[in-house]
Amino acid sequence: MTRPIQRPSVSPEGNVMLEALVDRSEIYLGETVRYTLALVRRINLAEVGAFEPPTLTGVWSEVVSVPDKNEKVIRKGQPFISTPIFIRLIRPLQSGSSVLGGAKILVRTDS
């Protein structure tokens, strides 16, 4: 089970957002967490363009293959379709807080 990180990248009031998900809310030095970025939308997209992944400094990371699947989800009472676009296993290299950089994706809607 994955859960959204406390602050979503974009407010769920929008039609398209990037959502960061982790499978654990707390980890300790030497432990690994699965970090997923999902493109979450409630409208059809004409095109998904350039993707700029987050910077992962201060952590060890390993690439995980991204499944080609969509999932129906509810965010703030609204139906969305969630598609994973970036998955990494990450492990902090030192104790304390780690901040991952932001990610960006270019999309074009049908409207």
Side-chain angles (χ1 to χ4, degrees):
M1 176 178 162
T2 56
R3 58 193 102 187
I5 291 178
Q6 295 298 322
R7 296 182 303 162
S9 302
V10 176
S11 160
E13 287 78 29
N15 290 321
V16 180
M17 64 182 164
L18 276 178
E19 183 176 62
L21 304 157
V22 292
D23 63 352
R24 297 170 34 177
S25 58
E26 288 187 1
I27 61 170
Y28 298 95
L29 192 59
E31 294 181 332
T32 302
V33 65
R34 183 182 177 104
Y35 174 78
T36 303
L37 275 176
L39 180 60
V40 181
R41 61 188 170 79
R42 61 178 163 189
I43 59 172
N44 289 328
L45 300 178
E47 181 181 351
V48 177
F51 171 62
E52 184 179 315
T55 55
L56 302 174
T57 56
V59 298
W60 164 90
S61 72
E62 179 181 324
V63 175
V64 175
S65 64
V66 178
D68 186 20
K69 69 173 188 171
N70 293 322
E71 179 182 5
K72 293 179 182 179
V73 297
I74 302 294
R75 297 292 181 261
K76 298 249 180 169
Q78 298 292 320
F80 283 85
I81 296 171
S82 177
T83 306
I85 58 171
F86 177 89
I87 303 174
R88 297 292 183 272
L89 297 178
I90 59 175
R91 184 180 309 139
L93 298 176
Q94 58 188 13
S95 60
S97 296
S98 293
V99 177
L100 305 179
K104 296 179 185 177
I105 191 163
L106 182 64
V107 297
R108 187 169 55 89
T109 62
D110 281 339
S111 350

